[in-house]
Amino acid sequence: SDPAERMNPRNGLCLCGTHDRAFERGHLRIHRDYVIHISIPSPVRQHSAVQDWLLRFDGSRIQLPQRWLPDPALLDRKLAMVE
């Protein structure tokens, strides 16, 4: 949403469509230590697709690129937007 950050290579994550949608909706959160936290309502957590595609990553760390690590300040900004 910030035009100044649009072309910043540290303002991007390589996610599949499912994980990108979960990230944009605040269900998949990545903290400044690059650990994934999943926030899904209880009734939905029971679905096998949610368990296979999201919950299995809860508490794990993202695979980091060799260059241009995601900017922790920008991750914090995203967390503030979804909370």
Side-chain angles (χ1 to χ4, degrees), residues 1 5 11 14-15 18 26-27 39 45-46 50-51 55 64 72 75 79:
S1 63
E5 296 294 344
N11 183 34
C14 184
L15 301 172
T18 300
H27 299 304
S39 176
R45 294 175 78 87
Q46 305 309 315
V50 171
Q51 292 176 6
L55 292 175
L64 297 173
L75 292 172
L79 285 172

Side-chain angles (χ1 to χ4, degrees), residues 4 16 21 24 30 34-35 37 40 43 46-49 51 53 55 58 61 63 65 67 69 73 77-79 83:
C16 73
R21 182 170 289 155
E24 290 302 323
I30 301 173
Y34 306 118
V35 173
H37 296 280
I40 301 285
Q46 305 309 315
H47 293 288
S48 62
Q51 292 176 6
W53 284 87
L55 292 175
D58 192 33
R61 203 165 176 214
Q63 184 176 357
R67 300 188 308 172
L69 293 174
R77 187 188 308 179
K78 176 63 178 175
L79 285 172
E83 291 181 343

